[in-house]
Amino acid sequence: MSLKEGYADDVVKGFMTWSIIWGLVAVLVGVLISFQLVFPQLNFPPYLTYGRLRPIHTNAAIFGWGIGSFMALFFYITQRLTKTPLWSPGLARFQLYLFNVVIALAAVTLALGMNRSKEYAELEWPVALLVVILWVIFSANIIMTIVRRKEEQLYISLWYILATLVGVAVLYLVNNAVIPVSLFKSYSAYAGANDANVQWWYGHNAVAMVLTTPPLAIFYYFLPKSTGVPIYSHRMGIIAFWSLIFMYLWTGAHHLLWTPVPDWVQTLAMAFSIMLIAPSWAAVFNGYFSMNGQWHQMRDNYLVKFLIFGITFYGLQTLQGPSQAVRTFSAFIHYTDWVPGHVHMGALGWVSLVIFAGFYYLVPRLYGREIYSVTLVNLHFWLAVIGQLIYSISMWVAGVQQAAMLHASNPDGTLHYSFMETFVEMYPYWHARAGAGVIYLISLLVFIYNMVKTVTSGKPTQLTASAASTNA
Amino acid sequence: MFERKPIILLLLAALAISVGTLVTMVAPFRWINDPQLKIAEVRPYTPLQLEGRDIYIREGCNNCHTQTVRPLLADVERYGDYSKAGEFVYDQPFLWGSRRTGPDLARIGGKYPDAWHYRHMVDPQAMVPRSNMPKYAFLQRPLDTNLTSRKMQALHFPYTSADIAALQGKSELDAMVAYLQKLGSDIQWRKTAQVAVVGDLRNPFQENKSVLSEGKGIYEKECAQCHGADLKGGVGPALANLDKPDAEVFKAVYEGLSAGGMPAFGDTLGKERVWKVVTYLKYQQRH
């Protein structure tokens, strides 16, 4: 199929493969640092300490696994939705090399301690500059393909893709403004509370433009493709799109409640966070209503299972997030393990499940082979969901318990517990979290095994005809 | 409509995200770090402190430690006076963090004597037995000062060549401790926020042996790291022969002693538990 239409799918395969490799790195490092929290003797200074490894975990997850897989899926989706081959396959191949160089450089420089300390923007300026080049050539390729399209109508997924391209560009450039001291050291261009406000404007909208709009683009494309029925409401999708990208940018300061950032900035962030429930849940409803009369596919079609569980976790995430953005609740749970519990529901539950669905859809079509084992797909699914739930639930309980202990006071107004008394109560939960990480790691290994077996020894597919008939 | 015009859609999307950006990210530059919010006592970092701060960044300390005290009872009692915007004007980048796996460090400066930090960084579990902090003994290596002048210039911090020369022979650990001791201590919050003990300082448990085991438990948890499990001293002085009146011992524990670096325990322990420790200590001296 791709030969006939001239679609550039070799880069899709390349990005898919490498994003899975970096995803495995992210999970391996995540498991290691979760054990370091329980057994501090697993820190091997100077390079392999928690402080240096945690940014490697988050960067490998967000940029290696997240962005890498979005590049694969965006290239695939854009060519199909525009009925146009990629503008420049050569540039895309260069992008794949550059992508891997950047992620590898990120891992090495972070382990060496070259770190700007700003979360999800840790990379020192030379590496950050390469990220900018990477994003420019990626954006140019996608935009030019869309401009030269043969299909006039722009499906909603392309809207989310375009918003992602412009959003990430603006965020990354502003938050990476630095005063360089040497090739390996720079200082932020902003100071103190200003720097904090810029950072969380960036940090929270990285969640918007990297971990929300791309998975939504993927979801809106692959759900109809998988179920064979169209999305419930294109109009609801459009309204949700504009309100989502408009409102998201106001909410960064909910990471800074009760800090010296001005109160009115915090209050705006709080209000807009609550308002974001509406567009977020519009996408959830769009997913659920698209399943009208199709719910049996949850049983019969594993792609649908991944996508609907994914959008369900998105729905839970977008209720929990706004509740955390309220001052009173933030005062209680902020800075505790509740927050990593929240983040991992989004990362493992929502983003990763949707990416897995995309990859399970792609592999048979790109390699012409049926998935090697549907049993293993189901095993992967359940291990991933169970691992993630144990992770998140143990962290929520841990966060509430520690918060309650930290805030407990005696009748004379003094504090009832010292910090260490609350701290030692966390160990059982940290053990549970490390175990959950191992379960998730196993699920990922099952996925990788199944993918490798599919590509090397899956049965040849029969689905060329059916895929053509359901073309969007 | 624009669902057929990708460039217009791209521009409109850019416009949509720029509104919230302008209001909540760009506009606050007008209000934050306003000269009116300037705090005169807050000083830029010295070369040694700045190098320490860069090591703090390099090691990713901000992944486990926050540096901002919220105006909440539990935060203020546990960590000290709430953080003010004017205290962070020299922080590029800010290091407020997002997770308190370890305690907040915004006001760690002056809480412990230097010796405590040296021991704690080299072997955290020696000072805080069930801590999960990695050992940072490798920071005892010499401090690299090649970039120090350029760093100070980049940030427009005042320094003299004598300051740079004084870095000779310093270790990374020296720089780290210097940085930690500056944190949050530019403003004189310890003096103004100090809990004054009011009322009659009489030990309610005098000669009450039933509180001895509890007092011993508190001592082992809170005091033994500096004064030794056997009361023979360490970072702090020996307490085995504490020949001071109960009230004076109580005041030292409750309010702290700025001269020797003894932290105040009034807020975290409360009067009753402080008296129990005092009773335990006095009992050890008498028997």
Side-chain angles (χ1 to χ4, degrees), chain A residues 37 51-52 54 119 149 153 181 187-188 192 195 197 335 337 406 413 416-417 427, chain B residues 3-4 24 54 59 63 77-78 91-92 94 98-100 130 132 150 221 268 273:
Chain A
L37 286 175
R52 293 199 190 184
R54 193 246 179 189
E119 279 181 83
R149 72 195 180 284
Q153 193 76 21
V181 176
Y187 292 111
S188 173
D195 195 43
N197 199 44
Y335 304 131
D337 269 325
L406 287 169
H416 192 72
Y417 297 103
Y427 278 117
Chain B
E3 53 251 54
R4 289 164 192 230
T24 64
D54 286 341
E59 298 307 327
N63 286 294
E77 288 198 352
R78 186 166 279 115
D91 285 12
Q92 290 175 259
F94 80 114
S98 59
R99 172 78 184 91
R100 284 178 185 162
R130 294 198 63 194
N132 65 354
R150 283 175 67 183
K221 227 183 251 172
T268 43
R273 285 192 283 180

mmCIF file of all heavy atoms in Angstrom, chain A residues 37 51-52 54 119 149 153 181 187-188 192 195 197 335 337 406 413 416-417 427, chain B residues 3-4 24 54 59 63 77-78 91-92 94 98-100 130 132 150 221 268 273:
data_model
loop_
_atom_site.group_PDB
_atom_site.id
_atom_site.type_symbol
_atom_site.label_atom_id
_atom_site.label_comp_id
_atom_site.label_asym_id
_atom_site.label_seq_id
_atom_site.Cartn_x
_atom_site.Cartn_y
_atom_site.Cartn_z
ATOM 1 N N LEU A 37 15.135 4.850 46.130
ATOM 2 C CA LEU A 37 14.428 5.523 47.225
ATOM 3 C C LEU A 37 14.251 4.593 48.416
ATOM 4 O O LEU A 37 14.136 5.029 49.555
ATOM 5 C CB LEU A 37 13.063 6.022 46.736
ATOM 6 C CG LEU A 37 13.097 7.247 45.833
ATOM 7 C CD1 LEU A 37 11.707 7.581 45.321
ATOM 8 C CD2 LEU A 37 13.668 8.458 46.573
ATOM 9 N N GLY A 51 19.569 11.944 42.148
ATOM 10 C CA GLY A 51 19.479 13.321 41.661
ATOM 11 C C GLY A 51 19.857 13.466 40.195
ATOM 12 O O GLY A 51 19.301 14.300 39.480
ATOM 13 N N ARG A 52 20.804 12.659 39.726
ATOM 14 C CA ARG A 52 21.189 12.757 38.318
ATOM 15 C C ARG A 52 20.345 11.848 37.442
ATOM 16 O O ARG A 52 20.173 12.125 36.252
ATOM 17 C CB ARG A 52 22.670 12.386 38.169
ATOM 18 C CG ARG A 52 23.599 13.395 38.821
ATOM 19 C CD ARG A 52 24.997 13.262 38.274
ATOM 20 N NE ARG A 52 25.944 14.060 39.053
ATOM 21 C CZ ARG A 52 27.221 14.180 38.730
ATOM 22 N NH1 ARG A 52 27.696 13.558 37.669
ATOM 23 N NH2 ARG A 52 28.030 14.913 39.474
ATOM 24 N N ARG A 54 17.064 10.887 37.925
ATOM 25 C CA ARG A 54 15.653 11.232 37.783
ATOM 26 C C ARG A 54 15.398 12.088 36.526
ATOM 27 O O ARG A 54 14.451 11.815 35.789
ATOM 28 C CB ARG A 54 15.145 11.908 39.057
ATOM 29 C CG ARG A 54 13.632 12.015 39.103
ATOM 30 C CD ARG A 54 13.211 13.458 39.036
ATOM 31 N NE ARG A 54 11.772 13.624 39.064
ATOM 32 C CZ ARG A 54 11.185 14.798 38.836
ATOM 33 N NH1 ARG A 54 11.914 15.856 38.618
ATOM 34 N NH2 ARG A 54 9.889 14.900 38.823
ATOM 35 N N GLU A 119 12.691 21.627 35.501
ATOM 36 C CA GLU A 119 12.111 20.323 35.185
ATOM 37 C C GLU A 119 11.613 20.245 33.734
ATOM 38 O O GLU A 119 10.885 21.107 33.274
ATOM 39 C CB GLU A 119 10.970 20.006 36.152
ATOM 40 C CG GLU A 119 11.495 19.469 37.472
ATOM 41 C CD GLU A 119 10.383 19.120 38.436
ATOM 42 O OE1 GLU A 119 9.834 18.019 38.331
ATOM 43 O OE2 GLU A 119 10.047 19.962 39.267
ATOM 44 N N ARG A 149 -1.335 19.113 0.354
ATOM 45 C CA ARG A 149 -2.210 17.941 0.479
ATOM 46 C C ARG A 149 -3.155 17.800 -0.711
ATOM 47 O O ARG A 149 -3.482 18.776 -1.382
ATOM 48 C CB ARG A 149 -3.005 18.036 1.779
ATOM 49 C CG ARG A 149 -4.091 19.101 1.754
ATOM 50 C CD ARG A 149 -4.583 19.400 3.150
ATOM 51 N NE ARG A 149 -5.632 20.417 3.117
ATOM 52 C CZ ARG A 149 -5.409 21.711 2.938
ATOM 53 N NH1 ARG A 149 -4.183 22.156 2.725
ATOM 54 N NH2 ARG A 149 -6.416 22.563 2.920
ATOM 55 N N GLN A 153 -10.189 18.768 3.080
ATOM 56 C CA GLN A 153 -10.629 18.886 4.473
ATOM 57 C C GLN A 153 -9.501 18.505 5.432
ATOM 58 O O GLN A 153 -8.801 17.522 5.214
ATOM 59 C CB GLN A 153 -11.828 17.956 4.687
ATOM 60 C CG GLN A 153 -12.574 18.183 5.976
ATOM 61 C CD GLN A 153 -13.463 19.420 5.914
ATOM 62 O OE1 GLN A 153 -13.828 19.882 4.834
ATOM 63 N NE2 GLN A 153 -13.801 19.980 7.066
ATOM 64 N N VAL A 181 27.742 30.460 30.169
ATOM 65 C CA VAL A 181 29.027 30.748 30.805
ATOM 66 C C VAL A 181 30.126 29.979 30.073
ATOM 67 O O VAL A 181 31.217 30.486 29.863
ATOM 68 C CB VAL A 181 29.010 30.346 32.295
ATOM 69 C CG1 VAL A 181 30.376 30.569 32.916
ATOM 70 C CG2 VAL A 181 27.959 31.141 33.045
ATOM 71 N N TYR A 187 23.251 29.997 32.915
ATOM 72 C CA TYR A 187 22.290 30.394 33.943
ATOM 73 C C TYR A 187 21.006 30.839 33.270
ATOM 74 O O TYR A 187 21.033 31.378 32.150
ATOM 75 C CB TYR A 187 22.857 31.535 34.791
ATOM 76 C CG TYR A 187 24.016 31.127 35.654
ATOM 77 C CD1 TYR A 187 25.295 31.579 35.406
ATOM 78 C CD2 TYR A 187 23.815 30.248 36.716
ATOM 79 C CE1 TYR A 187 26.369 31.196 36.198
ATOM 80 C CE2 TYR A 187 24.875 29.851 37.509
ATOM 81 C CZ TYR A 187 26.153 30.323 37.253
ATOM 82 O OH TYR A 187 27.192 29.913 38.033
ATOM 83 N N SER A 188 19.891 30.633 33.958
ATOM 84 C CA SER A 188 18.602 31.058 33.413
ATOM 85 C C SER A 188 18.617 32.571 33.195
ATOM 86 O O SER A 188 19.210 33.324 33.957
ATOM 87 C CB SER A 188 17.490 30.681 34.384
ATOM 88 O OG SER A 188 16.272 31.231 33.925
ATOM 89 N N GLY A 192 14.560 34.118 40.141
ATOM 90 C CA GLY A 192 13.636 33.916 41.254
ATOM 91 C C GLY A 192 12.206 33.614 40.852
ATOM 92 O O GLY A 192 11.939 32.688 40.096
ATOM 93 N N ASP A 195 11.468 33.413 37.205
ATOM 94 C CA ASP A 195 11.953 32.170 36.620
ATOM 95 C C ASP A 195 10.981 31.035 36.927
ATOM 96 O O ASP A 195 10.673 30.213 36.057
ATOM 97 C CB ASP A 195 13.346 31.857 37.174
ATOM 98 C CG ASP A 195 14.062 30.800 36.360
ATOM 99 O OD1 ASP A 195 14.004 30.883 35.113
ATOM 100 O OD2 ASP A 195 14.676 29.895 36.948
ATOM 101 N N ASN A 197 7.791 31.298 37.507
ATOM 102 C CA ASN A 197 6.550 31.467 36.756
ATOM 103 C C ASN A 197 6.732 31.077 35.290
ATOM 104 O O ASN A 197 5.865 30.437 34.702
ATOM 105 C CB ASN A 197 6.069 32.920 36.880
ATOM 106 C CG ASN A 197 4.606 33.061 36.525
ATOM 107 O OD1 ASN A 197 3.784 32.244 36.941
ATOM 108 N ND2 ASN A 197 4.283 34.061 35.733
ATOM 109 N N TYR A 335 3.803 18.634 46.993
ATOM 110 C CA TYR A 335 5.120 18.213 47.484
ATOM 111 C C TYR A 335 5.120 16.800 48.069
ATOM 112 O O TYR A 335 6.149 16.331 48.550
ATOM 113 C CB TYR A 335 5.694 19.188 48.533
ATOM 114 C CG TYR A 335 5.798 20.624 48.074
ATOM 115 C CD1 TYR A 335 5.307 21.649 48.858
ATOM 116 C CD2 TYR A 335 6.392 20.940 46.861
ATOM 117 C CE1 TYR A 335 5.405 22.968 48.449
ATOM 118 C CE2 TYR A 335 6.490 22.249 46.438
ATOM 119 C CZ TYR A 335 6.002 23.273 47.237
ATOM 120 O OH TYR A 335 6.089 24.585 46.832
ATOM 121 N N ASP A 337 3.906 12.453 47.667
ATOM 122 C CA ASP A 337 3.899 11.435 46.627
ATOM 123 C C ASP A 337 2.592 11.376 45.857
ATOM 124 O O ASP A 337 2.500 10.673 44.851
ATOM 125 C CB ASP A 337 4.189 10.063 47.246
ATOM 126 C CG ASP A 337 5.681 9.767 47.228
ATOM 127 O OD1 ASP A 337 6.336 10.175 46.257
ATOM 128 O OD2 ASP A 337 6.178 9.148 48.176
ATOM 129 N N LEU A 406 2.029 15.499 58.316
ATOM 130 C CA LEU A 406 2.775 16.759 58.318
ATOM 131 C C LEU A 406 1.939 17.906 58.887
ATOM 132 O O LEU A 406 2.465 18.836 59.485
ATOM 133 C CB LEU A 406 3.237 17.116 56.904
ATOM 134 C CG LEU A 406 4.386 16.276 56.332
ATOM 135 C CD1 LEU A 406 4.562 16.536 54.846
ATOM 136 C CD2 LEU A 406 5.689 16.557 57.076
ATOM 137 N N GLY A 413 -0.692 23.785 69.618
ATOM 138 C CA GLY A 413 -0.356 24.410 68.342
ATOM 139 C C GLY A 413 0.961 23.948 67.759
ATOM 140 O O GLY A 413 1.288 24.294 66.633
ATOM 141 N N HIS A 416 2.731 17.731 65.574
ATOM 142 C CA HIS A 416 2.701 16.438 66.250
ATOM 143 C C HIS A 416 3.830 15.519 65.794
ATOM 144 O O HIS A 416 4.334 14.722 66.568
ATOM 145 C CB HIS A 416 1.353 15.767 66.000
ATOM 146 C CG HIS A 416 1.108 14.586 66.876
ATOM 147 N ND1 HIS A 416 0.851 14.722 68.212
ATOM 148 C CD2 HIS A 416 1.123 13.260 66.615
ATOM 149 C CE1 HIS A 416 0.698 13.508 68.741
ATOM 150 N NE2 HIS A 416 0.862 12.609 67.802
ATOM 151 N N TYR A 417 4.220 15.621 64.527
ATOM 152 C CA TYR A 417 5.260 14.724 64.006
ATOM 153 C C TYR A 417 6.450 15.519 63.478
ATOM 154 O O TYR A 417 6.274 16.559 62.840
ATOM 155 C CB TYR A 417 4.726 13.874 62.854
ATOM 156 C CG TYR A 417 3.602 12.948 63.229
ATOM 157 C CD1 TYR A 417 2.288 13.260 62.897
ATOM 158 C CD2 TYR A 417 3.847 11.762 63.916
ATOM 159 C CE1 TYR A 417 1.247 12.419 63.239
ATOM 160 C CE2 TYR A 417 2.813 10.905 64.265
ATOM 161 C CZ TYR A 417 1.521 11.241 63.919
ATOM 162 O OH TYR A 417 0.493 10.404 64.254
ATOM 163 N N TYR A 427 8.102 4.212 53.518
ATOM 164 C CA TYR A 427 8.840 3.068 52.963
ATOM 165 C C TYR A 427 7.946 1.954 52.408
ATOM 166 O O TYR A 427 8.194 1.462 51.302
ATOM 167 C CB TYR A 427 9.840 2.522 53.984
ATOM 168 C CG TYR A 427 11.138 3.297 54.011
ATOM 169 C CD1 TYR A 427 11.554 3.985 55.136
ATOM 170 C CD2 TYR A 427 11.953 3.338 52.882
ATOM 171 C CE1 TYR A 427 12.750 4.705 55.147
ATOM 172 C CE2 TYR A 427 13.154 4.054 52.889
ATOM 173 C CZ TYR A 427 13.544 4.729 54.017
ATOM 174 O OH TYR A 427 14.719 5.430 54.017
ATOM 175 N N GLU B 3 -10.895 25.312 8.544
ATOM 176 C CA GLU B 3 -10.511 23.900 8.568
ATOM 177 C C GLU B 3 -10.011 23.444 7.199
ATOM 178 O O GLU B 3 -9.698 22.291 7.012
ATOM 179 C CB GLU B 3 -11.634 22.995 9.082
ATOM 180 C CG GLU B 3 -12.938 23.140 8.395
ATOM 181 C CD GLU B 3 -13.961 23.806 9.307
ATOM 182 O OE1 GLU B 3 -13.693 24.899 9.839
ATOM 183 O OE2 GLU B 3 -15.019 23.221 9.504
ATOM 184 N N ARG B 4 -9.987 24.354 6.234
ATOM 185 C CA ARG B 4 -9.361 24.026 4.955
ATOM 186 C C ARG B 4 -8.106 24.848 4.731
ATOM 187 O O ARG B 4 -7.484 24.773 3.695
ATOM 188 C CB ARG B 4 -10.355 24.288 3.820
ATOM 189 C CG ARG B 4 -11.458 23.249 3.835
ATOM 190 C CD ARG B 4 -12.632 23.649 3.015
ATOM 191 N NE ARG B 4 -13.735 22.733 3.331
ATOM 192 C CZ ARG B 4 -14.448 22.100 2.423
ATOM 193 N NH1 ARG B 4 -14.222 22.282 1.156
ATOM 194 N NH2 ARG B 4 -15.422 21.290 2.792
ATOM 195 N N THR B 24 -0.589 35.615 31.961
ATOM 196 C CA THR B 24 -0.091 34.932 33.160
ATOM 197 C C THR B 24 1.417 34.718 33.168
ATOM 198 O O THR B 24 1.973 34.383 34.204
ATOM 199 C CB THR B 24 -0.768 33.559 33.335
ATOM 200 O OG1 THR B 24 -0.409 32.723 32.243
ATOM 201 C CG2 THR B 24 -2.268 33.707 33.414
ATOM 202 N N ASP B 54 25.949 25.800 42.323
ATOM 203 C CA ASP B 54 26.083 25.078 41.058
ATOM 204 C C ASP B 54 26.261 23.579 41.280
ATOM 205 O O ASP B 54 25.825 22.770 40.461
ATOM 206 C CB ASP B 54 27.251 25.655 40.239
ATOM 207 C CG ASP B 54 26.889 26.999 39.628
ATOM 208 O OD1 ASP B 54 25.684 27.301 39.538
ATOM 209 O OD2 ASP B 54 27.804 27.760 39.254
ATOM 210 N N GLU B 59 24.125 18.131 41.057
ATOM 211 C CA GLU B 59 23.744 16.863 41.684
ATOM 212 C C GLU B 59 22.234 16.653 41.694
ATOM 213 O O GLU B 59 21.751 15.620 42.150
ATOM 214 C CB GLU B 59 24.308 16.778 43.101
ATOM 215 C CG GLU B 59 25.833 16.818 43.163
ATOM 216 C CD GLU B 59 26.476 15.776 42.247
ATOM 217 O OE1 GLU B 59 25.880 14.699 42.069
ATOM 218 O OE2 GLU B 59 27.552 16.062 41.696
ATOM 219 N N ASN B 63 15.635 17.692 42.999
ATOM 220 C CA ASN B 63 14.687 16.612 42.730
ATOM 221 C C ASN B 63 14.057 16.067 44.006
ATOM 222 O O ASN B 63 13.023 15.407 43.947
ATOM 223 C CB ASN B 63 15.373 15.481 41.961
ATOM 224 C CG ASN B 63 15.628 15.856 40.516
ATOM 225 O OD1 ASN B 63 14.692 16.041 39.751
ATOM 226 N ND2 ASN B 63 16.892 16.010 40.150
ATOM 227 N N GLU B 77 5.909 26.375 60.909
ATOM 228 C CA GLU B 77 6.410 25.800 62.166
ATOM 229 C C GLU B 77 7.552 24.826 61.911
ATOM 230 O O GLU B 77 8.481 24.728 62.702
ATOM 231 C CB GLU B 77 5.283 25.095 62.913
ATOM 232 C CG GLU B 77 4.296 26.085 63.510
ATOM 233 C CD GLU B 77 3.444 25.456 64.601
ATOM 234 O OE1 GLU B 77 3.514 24.225 64.780
ATOM 235 O OE2 GLU B 77 2.718 26.200 65.262
ATOM 236 N N ARG B 78 7.463 24.118 60.802
ATOM 237 C CA ARG B 78 8.487 23.101 60.546
ATOM 238 C C ARG B 78 9.755 23.711 59.973
ATOM 239 O O ARG B 78 10.857 23.297 60.322
ATOM 240 C CB ARG B 78 7.917 22.031 59.600
ATOM 241 C CG ARG B 78 8.839 20.844 59.367
ATOM 242 C CD ARG B 78 8.111 19.674 58.725
ATOM 243 N NE ARG B 78 7.369 18.885 59.707
ATOM 244 C CZ ARG B 78 6.064 18.769 59.743
ATOM 245 N NH1 ARG B 78 5.311 19.390 58.863
ATOM 246 N NH2 ARG B 78 5.486 18.045 60.675
ATOM 247 N N ASP B 91 18.462 34.394 42.331
ATOM 248 C CA ASP B 91 18.396 32.966 41.995
ATOM 249 C C ASP B 91 18.124 32.760 40.508
ATOM 250 O O ASP B 91 17.001 32.860 40.043
ATOM 251 C CB ASP B 91 17.310 32.270 42.822
ATOM 252 C CG ASP B 91 17.728 32.058 44.255
ATOM 253 O OD1 ASP B 91 18.745 32.657 44.652
ATOM 254 O OD2 ASP B 91 17.049 31.313 44.966
ATOM 255 N N GLN B 92 19.170 32.455 39.748
ATOM 256 C CA GLN B 92 19.045 32.151 38.329
ATOM 257 C C GLN B 92 19.712 30.813 38.067
ATOM 258 O O GLN B 92 20.932 30.766 37.976
ATOM 259 C CB GLN B 92 19.716 33.242 37.475
ATOM 260 C CG GLN B 92 18.984 34.573 37.498
ATOM 261 C CD GLN B 92 19.744 35.643 36.733
ATOM 262 O OE1 GLN B 92 20.397 36.468 37.338
ATOM 263 N NE2 GLN B 92 19.668 35.617 35.418
ATOM 264 N N PHE B 94 15.742 29.620 39.623
ATOM 265 C CA PHE B 94 15.101 29.374 40.910
ATOM 266 C C PHE B 94 15.258 27.891 41.249
ATOM 267 O O PHE B 94 15.415 27.066 40.343
ATOM 268 C CB PHE B 94 13.616 29.750 40.851
ATOM 269 C CG PHE B 94 12.736 28.700 40.208
ATOM 270 C CD1 PHE B 94 11.776 28.008 40.923
ATOM 271 C CD2 PHE B 94 12.898 28.372 38.876
ATOM 272 C CE1 PHE B 94 10.993 27.025 40.343
ATOM 273 C CE2 PHE B 94 12.125 27.393 38.281
ATOM 274 C CZ PHE B 94 11.163 26.722 39.023
ATOM 275 N N SER B 98 9.689 20.626 43.345
ATOM 276 C CA SER B 98 8.281 20.246 43.260
ATOM 277 C C SER B 98 7.943 19.060 44.154
ATOM 278 O O SER B 98 6.812 18.647 44.223
ATOM 279 C CB SER B 98 7.911 19.902 41.811
ATOM 280 O OG SER B 98 8.715 18.846 41.338
ATOM 281 N N ARG B 99 8.943 18.497 44.821
ATOM 282 C CA ARG B 99 8.682 17.295 45.600
ATOM 283 C C ARG B 99 9.569 17.331 46.832
ATOM 284 O O ARG B 99 10.768 17.585 46.712
ATOM 285 C CB ARG B 99 9.010 16.066 44.734
ATOM 286 C CG ARG B 99 8.970 14.740 45.444
ATOM 287 C CD ARG B 99 7.563 14.214 45.654
ATOM 288 N NE ARG B 99 7.605 12.969 46.431
ATOM 289 C CZ ARG B 99 7.522 12.941 47.776
ATOM 290 N NH1 ARG B 99 7.359 14.036 48.464
ATOM 291 N NH2 ARG B 99 7.579 11.785 48.408
ATOM 292 N N ARG B 100 8.949 17.087 48.017
ATOM 293 C CA ARG B 100 9.724 17.057 49.256
ATOM 294 C C ARG B 100 9.945 15.620 49.699
ATOM 295 O O ARG B 100 9.345 15.169 50.665
ATOM 296 C CB ARG B 100 8.991 17.820 50.365
ATOM 297 C CG ARG B 100 9.086 19.321 50.221
ATOM 298 C CD ARG B 100 8.308 20.030 51.301
ATOM 299 N NE ARG B 100 8.335 21.481 51.057
ATOM 300 C CZ ARG B 100 7.489 22.334 51.596
ATOM 301 N NH1 ARG B 100 6.537 21.908 52.406
ATOM 302 N NH2 ARG B 100 7.575 23.620 51.322
ATOM 303 N N ARG B 130 17.372 6.666 59.362
ATOM 304 C CA ARG B 130 16.568 6.006 58.333
ATOM 305 C C ARG B 130 16.410 6.854 57.072
ATOM 306 O O ARG B 130 15.507 6.633 56.268
ATOM 307 C CB ARG B 130 15.215 5.597 58.905
ATOM 308 C CG ARG B 130 15.371 4.520 59.987
ATOM 309 C CD ARG B 130 14.079 3.804 60.259
ATOM 310 N NE ARG B 130 13.587 3.082 59.092
ATOM 311 C CZ ARG B 130 12.349 2.608 58.996
ATOM 312 N NH1 ARG B 130 11.504 2.794 59.983
ATOM 313 N NH2 ARG B 130 11.948 1.960 57.916
ATOM 314 N N ASN B 132 17.045 8.206 53.296
ATOM 315 C CA ASN B 132 17.385 7.497 52.048
ATOM 316 C C ASN B 132 18.252 8.365 51.140
ATOM 317 O O ASN B 132 18.371 8.114 49.952
ATOM 318 C CB ASN B 132 16.135 7.030 51.300
ATOM 319 C CG ASN B 132 15.280 8.184 50.816
ATOM 320 O OD1 ASN B 132 15.555 9.344 51.121
ATOM 321 N ND2 ASN B 132 14.238 7.878 50.072
ATOM 322 N N ARG B 150 34.042 34.057 35.616
ATOM 323 C CA ARG B 150 33.079 34.250 34.520
ATOM 324 C C ARG B 150 31.648 34.069 35.008
ATOM 325 O O ARG B 150 30.739 34.760 34.546
ATOM 326 C CB ARG B 150 33.382 33.272 33.388
ATOM 327 C CG ARG B 150 34.577 33.712 32.572
ATOM 328 C CD ARG B 150 34.953 32.706 31.530
ATOM 329 N NE ARG B 150 33.946 32.564 30.490
ATOM 330 C CZ ARG B 150 34.043 31.693 29.491
ATOM 331 N NH1 ARG B 150 35.102 30.894 29.418
ATOM 332 N NH2 ARG B 150 33.105 31.611 28.573
ATOM 333 N N LYS B 221 15.982 10.072 68.994
ATOM 334 C CA LYS B 221 15.522 10.450 67.672
ATOM 335 C C LYS B 221 16.031 11.832 67.258
ATOM 336 O O LYS B 221 16.417 12.053 66.125
ATOM 337 C CB LYS B 221 13.989 10.445 67.668
ATOM 338 C CG LYS B 221 13.397 9.727 66.467
ATOM 339 C CD LYS B 221 11.887 9.834 66.499
ATOM 340 C CE LYS B 221 11.244 8.496 66.829
ATOM 341 N NZ LYS B 221 9.815 8.611 67.052
ATOM 342 N N THR B 268 8.706 21.981 66.753
ATOM 343 C CA THR B 268 8.477 20.610 66.323
ATOM 344 C C THR B 268 8.137 19.694 67.498
ATOM 345 O O THR B 268 7.384 18.750 67.336
ATOM 346 C CB THR B 268 9.699 20.034 65.586
ATOM 347 O OG1 THR B 268 10.874 20.410 66.305
ATOM 348 C CG2 THR B 268 9.795 20.571 64.182
ATOM 349 N N ARG B 273 6.986 17.688 75.303
ATOM 350 C CA ARG B 273 8.044 16.751 74.943
ATOM 351 C C ARG B 273 9.424 17.328 75.241
ATOM 352 O O ARG B 273 10.351 16.581 75.551
ATOM 353 C CB ARG B 273 7.898 16.341 73.473
ATOM 354 C CG ARG B 273 6.738 15.368 73.286
ATOM 355 C CD ARG B 273 6.747 14.734 71.917
ATOM 356 N NE ARG B 273 6.253 15.663 70.900
ATOM 357 C CZ ARG B 273 6.159 15.339 69.609
ATOM 358 N NH1 ARG B 273 6.543 14.151 69.184
ATOM 359 N NH2 ARG B 273 5.689 16.209 68.742
#
